[in-house]
Amino acid sequence: MEIVKYKDRVQIPVPKVNGTDFRSDKVGPFVGPETKTGFIVQPQGRGFQIDGHNVRWANWAFHLGYDVRAGAVISLASIYDAKMETYRSVLYRTFVSELFVPYMDPAEEWYFRTFFDAGEYGFGLWAFPLQPSTDCPAHAEFMDGYYAGQDGKPVKVSNVFCIFERYAGDIAWRHTEIGIPGQMITEVRPEVTLVVRMVSTVGNYDYVMDWEFKTTGSVQFRVSLTGLMEVKGTPYTHTDQIISDQHGTLVAENTMAVYHDHFVTYHIDLDIDGTENSFQKLKLKPVKLSDFNSSSPRRSYWTVVTETAETESDAQVNIGADPAADLLIVNPNKKTKMGNAVGYRLIPGSATGVSVLADNDFPQIRASYSKKQVWVTPYNKSEKWAAGLYTDQSRGDDNLATWSHRNRRIKNKDIVLWYTAGFHHIPYQEDFPLMPMISGGFELRPSNFFERNPLINTKPYSPQPSFNCTFTT
């Protein structure tokens, strides 16, 4: 219990702390914008059923589980096909496999801050109870989670998940037809979705994880970042004083918020109408028409060329650098009546950053998979964690990129899709002292999975009479 050695490398002024406490009883006068309270009223009751951990809603059925490392685990997701009068499989299992968060300051006090939030800390372990009416709407249902403590006894995490129907005023489909003389025909169907939510606070950051199921058959995967930024003391009080790279943004006097990344990698074991699936890239091919050999006044058009990945290397995609128009997971053994292979389409969201660290940088060696957003591997029960089973002090010899070096066959196999949502976070003053949410993610959308739009036969919306409610506390 003695200090045997210390090193005082630099002297930095202590940043001022006035106005940085975010607690409601500490922030001072409430002068920010004020909105009115709103509530969702469901006069017919909630539209989903929970039996243990099995959830049914509209045309979806799935199992929701808890894992101390991954957090939420959604499995056995299937969708009801009214034309076939049966449930059809979509997802065998999906969860957050890893969150790689490297900071960009190479200084002695910062170079090691390259975190693997799931493998080193436990994404589910740091999921805390959700707050009714704030983390989740008032009409949400909550679910508990359990894990084995260090003494082997079960530990309960109350309200670790919430499930609710989202009425956001969005439209599922609509059309106004004015081509019939003397008539104007308008049909609209509102979009109501089911959201599964978990919030994990790993150190300074809060990750709001949403899995949103749509009646169209789509599943939206969304990760939203908020919380506190990692900051460091600095002698500077104005940007005019800075003459060299300080590896961050001056957000307050003597306070520098350091540049960093967030790479959130999802493990998505798809079973599209069965276990044997294939991965396809649909690429646009421009075609020019000759002045002399064409009967059309057009001089160009584009068509689609389909490439089916044979091996793992064929399926690696760097979105933005790869010219693929669409990325599909199809079941080549199941066809629609028109002859198209049934499938789902991967639609990337706004967070499509990839790591720009050098390949020989030690954190990049450990997270070498972060150079690409999309990987596809054959199913292997031991390949669940993108940064390896034992992530703490790992050396990069057991991760997603290393597994894929074997270049195994993936055509018409039981395959796993891996997708990384990447954020390059350049801090701004509005992110301090507590950052408003920023979101990214991706969508899995049916592509020739149904014979037609599955919502075309849904009943039109019957609006309820308007009324006002007064709530007393």
Side-chain angles (χ1 to χ4, degrees):
M1 299 299 294
E2 295 181 0
I3 297 174
V4 295
K5 182 180 179 181
Y6 72 91
K7 182 178 181 180
D8 193 6
R9 191 174 67 87
V10 291
Q11 292 185 354
I12 300 294
V14 177
K16 297 179 180 179
V17 296
N18 295 334
T20 60
D21 197 325
F22 59 87
R23 290 172 292 181
S24 59
D25 60 341
K26 300 291 184 181
V27 295
F30 296 111
V31 296
E34 186 174 343
T35 59
K36 301 298 183 181
T37 301
F39 291 90
I40 297 295
V41 177
Q42 296 178 292
Q44 297 175 315
R46 71 185 189 191
F48 59 93
Q49 299 81 43
I50 300 176
D51 181 10
H53 284 260
N54 295 303
V55 181
R56 284 184 179 270
W57 171 79
N59 49 352
W60 280 101
F62 59 90
H63 182 275
L64 173 61
Y66 170 86
D67 181 85
V68 72
R69 181 165 177 171
V73 179
I74 292 175
S75 56
L76 304 177
S78 59
I79 190 166
Y80 187 77
D81 189 325
K83 295 292 183 182
M84 295 186 176
E85 298 183 336
T86 187
Y87 279 91
R88 300 168 64 189
S89 63
V90 177
L91 277 165
Y92 177 68
R93 183 184 292 120
T94 183
F95 54 88
V96 173
S97 178
E98 191 53 81
L99 298 92
F100 175 46
V101 187
Y103 282 79
M104 298 300 136
D105 191 336
E108 184 175 347
E109 296 82 11
W110 279 82
Y111 75 89
F112 55 85
R113 300 183 194 227
T114 55
F115 305 112
F116 292 83
D117 286 344
E120 292 178 339
Y121 298 96
F123 199 50
L125 182 65
W126 294 98
F128 295 103
L130 297 169
Q131 304 302 304
S133 299
T134 50
D135 280 327
C136 309
H139 64 286
E141 292 290 325
F142 293 84
M143 187 180 293
D144 302 332
Y146 295 85
Y147 65 90
Q150 293 183 352
D151 58 359
K153 296 180 180 179
V155 179
K156 179 181 178 180
V157 186
S158 299
N159 293 359
V160 70
F161 304 131
C162 72
I163 305 168
F164 61 93
E165 289 166 292
R166 172 176 279 156
Y167 301 82
D170 294 328
I171 297 170
W173 66 263
R174 81 172 312 281
H175 181 61
T176 297
E177 179 58 59
I178 59 172
I180 302 174
Q183 297 186 51
M184 184 174 70
I185 303 170
T186 298
E187 287 284 341
V188 185
R189 298 295 184 272
E191 182 169 73
V192 181
T193 63
L194 184 76
V195 177
V196 174
R197 175 169 294 169
M198 182 194 80
V199 177
S200 182
T201 303
V202 188
N204 54 303
Y205 263 99
D206 296 64
Y207 296 91
V208 182
M209 313 300 299
D210 283 355
W211 290 261
E212 186 171 7
F213 294 84
K214 303 184 178 185
T215 52
T216 56
S218 292
V219 184
Q220 188 90 35
F221 297 70
R222 186 182 299 106
V223 51
S224 301
L225 282 60
T226 180
L228 301 172
M229 291 185 298
E230 287 262 0
V231 297
K232 65 177 181 178
T234 178
Y236 304 113
T237 59
H238 195 279
T239 56
D240 289 346
Q241 302 166 345
I242 302 173
I243 59 174
S244 62
D245 188 357
Q246 296 299 307
H247 317 293
T249 301
L250 190 68
V251 294
E253 291 185 17
N254 307 120
T255 305
M256 190 77 65
V258 178
Y259 304 141
H260 59 282
D261 293 321
H262 300 264
F263 297 111
V264 184
T265 301
Y266 291 82
H267 175 285
I268 312 160
D269 187 351
L270 288 158
D271 282 353
I272 306 297
D273 238 2
T275 56
E276 282 71 41
N277 293 171
S278 296
F279 180 76
Q280 292 182 341
K281 299 178 185 178
L282 273 58
K283 295 187 174 182
L284 301 186
K285 179 182 178 182
V287 179
K288 293 184 178 181
L289 300 176
S290 168
D291 293 343
F292 304 102
N293 299 327
S294 174
S295 58
S296 172
R298 291 283 298 274
R299 291 296 171 258
S300 65
Y301 65 94
W302 59 260
T303 188
V304 177
V305 177
T306 301
E307 296 179 0
T308 301
E310 297 281 348
T311 61
E312 292 175 90
S313 62
D314 298 333
Q316 297 170 16
V317 179
N318 185 347
I319 296 168
D322 194 296
D326 281 335
L327 303 172
L328 272 69
I329 300 90
V330 302
N331 187 331
N333 311 298
K334 302 286 183 69
K335 307 283 186 178
T336 65
K337 291 180 180 179
M338 300 298 103
N340 295 306
V342 302
Y344 262 68
R345 184 161 86 251
L346 170 65
I347 303 177
S350 58
T352 57
V354 295
S355 176
V356 296
L357 297 177
D359 290 339
N360 63 348
D361 195 357
F362 193 62
Q364 184 58 45
I365 294 172
R366 300 175 67 202
S368 50
Y369 59 88
S370 59
K371 290 284 186 177
K372 294 182 173 67
Q373 297 97 338
V374 179
W375 302 74
V376 179
T377 61
Y379 173 77
N380 185 318
K381 65 180 181 180
S382 66
E383 297 177 359
K384 296 170 61 178
W385 312 109
L389 178 60
Y390 300 108
T391 309
D392 199 30
Q393 299 186 23
S394 63
R395 298 180 178 273
D397 54 358
D398 178 31
N399 65 20
L400 174 56
T402 301
W403 307 332
S404 288
H405 285 160
R406 289 174 280 179
N407 206 23
R408 297 160 292 185
R409 298 193 64 81
I410 57 172
K411 184 178 179 180
N412 203 15
K413 300 285 186 182
D414 188 2
I415 57 177
V416 175
L417 172 70
W418 306 75
Y419 184 86
T420 297
F423 301 80
H424 297 301
H425 192 175
I426 303 172
Y428 296 93
Q429 285 185 236
E430 292 82 357
D431 296 338
F432 183 81
L434 198 146
M435 187 180 95
M437 280 215 307
I438 183 172
S439 301
F442 61 99
E443 180 180 353
L444 293 175
R445 183 182 180 93
S447 300
N448 300 323
F449 187 83
F450 298 105
E451 292 292 341
R452 61 193 306 210
N453 180 352
L455 300 188
I456 201 70
N457 295 110
T458 53
K459 294 179 181 179
Y461 176 63
S462 298
Q464 299 292 324
S466 299
F467 59 90
N468 295 320
C469 294
T470 302
F471 295 88
T472 304
T473 57

